[in-house]
Amino acid sequence: MDKPVRAGDAPIRVDLEKGKDYYWCACGKSSNQPFCDGSHKVEGTFKPLKFSVEEDANKALCTCKGTKNPPYCDGTHRK
Ligand code: FES
């Protein structure tokens, strides 16, 4: 598997808490989109992206896995 699986056709908005670590699914196989559930371990090509926010925020996280600004949606799903 050299490309991630398209997990969705639109971003998912989530409430993120300041200082907390999150793991965005980069492979697209997680059943808990947009977050990693460990499914990437089967193929081993992808690893989740660890990220956090500096302030509490509601953000749109990418599910098409084509964003150039992971974990955030950049509108690529529309192309
Ligand atoms: S399940 Fe996709 S990166 Fe972990």
Side-chain angles (χ1 to χ4, degrees), residues 24-30 36-40 47-48:
W24 176 75
C25 170
C27 74
K29 292 201 164 183
S30 172
C36 173
D37 72 353
S39 297
H40 63 273
K47 290 192 171 144

Side-chain angles (χ1 to χ4, degrees), residues 17-32:
E17 293 175 39
K18 173 185 175 183
K20 188 173 171 183
D21 289 334
Y22 295 96
Y23 295 85
W24 176 75
C25 170
C27 74
K29 292 201 164 183
S30 172
S31 297
N32 186 35

